[in-house]
Amino acid sequence: AEVVWFVVAFTVGDVSGFSLADLLWLMGYVFFGLSFLLQYRLILGTSRQKEFRWVILVVVVTLLVSLAGTLLLHQSQYDPSLSWGMTFLEVFYPVGDLMMVIATLGIARLFGRGMWGRVWLSLLVFAISDSLYSWTAFTGMYAFSVENSNLLSLAVDATYVLAYLLVAMACYNQTLLMRFGPSLM
């Protein structure tokens, strides 16, 4: 998704519409959801019926909160040129990230303060970054080019890069933990 977004931004210059990158990011939520489900299954040994009810609840709550936020923002006339679908996406990403944060905190709590829980905490920075980006993009405060740059856009971009660095560091720590055990940590 990141590579596709970069190519579209670099070649076309305008990434405000729905693109293949959005489709890939939306698919990413499915894979994150599966990873959360498998982690919870591993730790708690839940039944399939209970898992199914939780998945349905999370999906319904995410869609309802996104829909409510979309209705509020679309009626606020912040950016009347933004379509209803694009407004929904701008709201859905932070809401989806918030649901991931809730699952992340749950897994981190189950693992305690141990090394297995730290990997999931790096997703918190992504949630913050995506929320800042959606807000600044929706309000028109985000600068897509250096010529129009501002400190807020720099902070959003820096937070996004930091999120990737933290995920990379968490994955590296996870690799060390799996390969050598906790003695090297």
Side-chain angles (χ1 to χ4, degrees):
E2 293 293 335
V3 171
V4 169
W5 191 90
F6 173 76
V7 168
V8 170
F10 190 71
T11 57
V12 178
D14 183 23
V15 288
S16 59
F18 186 79
S19 68
L20 177 61
D22 290 301
L23 182 63
L24 294 172
W25 273 314
L26 292 173
M27 286 175 38
Y29 283 108
V30 173
F31 291 115
F32 272 117
L34 287 173
S35 66
F36 287 127
L37 180 66
L38 293 174
Q39 286 291 315
Y40 278 110
R41 184 181 295 165
L42 178 69
I43 298 166
L44 300 175
T46 58
S47 70
R48 303 277 186 203
Q49 290 176 336
K50 189 174 183 178
E51 290 173 0
F52 181 74
R53 285 193 304 262
W54 273 107
V55 167
I56 293 299
L57 177 68
V58 167
V59 169
V60 167
V61 166
T62 303
L63 291 176
L64 286 177
V65 170
S66 297
L67 182 62
T70 301
L71 291 173
L72 286 172
L73 286 178
H74 202 61
Q75 291 173 354
S76 71
Q77 299 298 323
Y78 252 124
D79 186 359
S81 66
L82 203 59
S83 70
W84 192 90
M86 287 309 299
T87 305
F88 181 81
L89 274 180
E90 291 292 337
V91 173
F92 177 81
Y93 288 135
V95 172
D97 290 348
L98 177 64
M99 296 308 269
M100 281 196 324
V101 165
I102 291 169
T104 295
L105 292 174
I107 288 176
R109 185 183 58 80
L110 288 173
F111 280 124
R113 294 191 322 197
M115 288 177 237
W116 291 104
R118 291 182 196 159
V119 174
W120 294 102
L121 291 177
S122 60
L123 293 175
L124 292 171
V125 182
F126 266 113
I128 293 167
S129 176
D130 280 349
S131 298
L132 285 172
Y133 173 77
S134 289
W135 174 68
T136 56
F138 189 78
T139 59
M141 297 170 68
Y142 186 78
F144 287 97
S145 67
V146 176
E147 293 86 27
N148 302 328
S149 187
N150 57 43
L151 279 176
L152 187 57
S153 296
L154 177 64
V156 170
D157 292 341
T159 306
Y160 203 65
V161 171
L162 176 65
Y164 270 109
L165 291 174
L166 288 173
V167 167
M169 189 172 71
C171 289
Y172 178 68
N173 283 337
Q174 187 76 11
T175 303
L176 291 177
L177 184 62
M178 294 293 294
R179 196 159 198 210
F180 301 110
S183 62
L184 288 178
M185 300 302 218

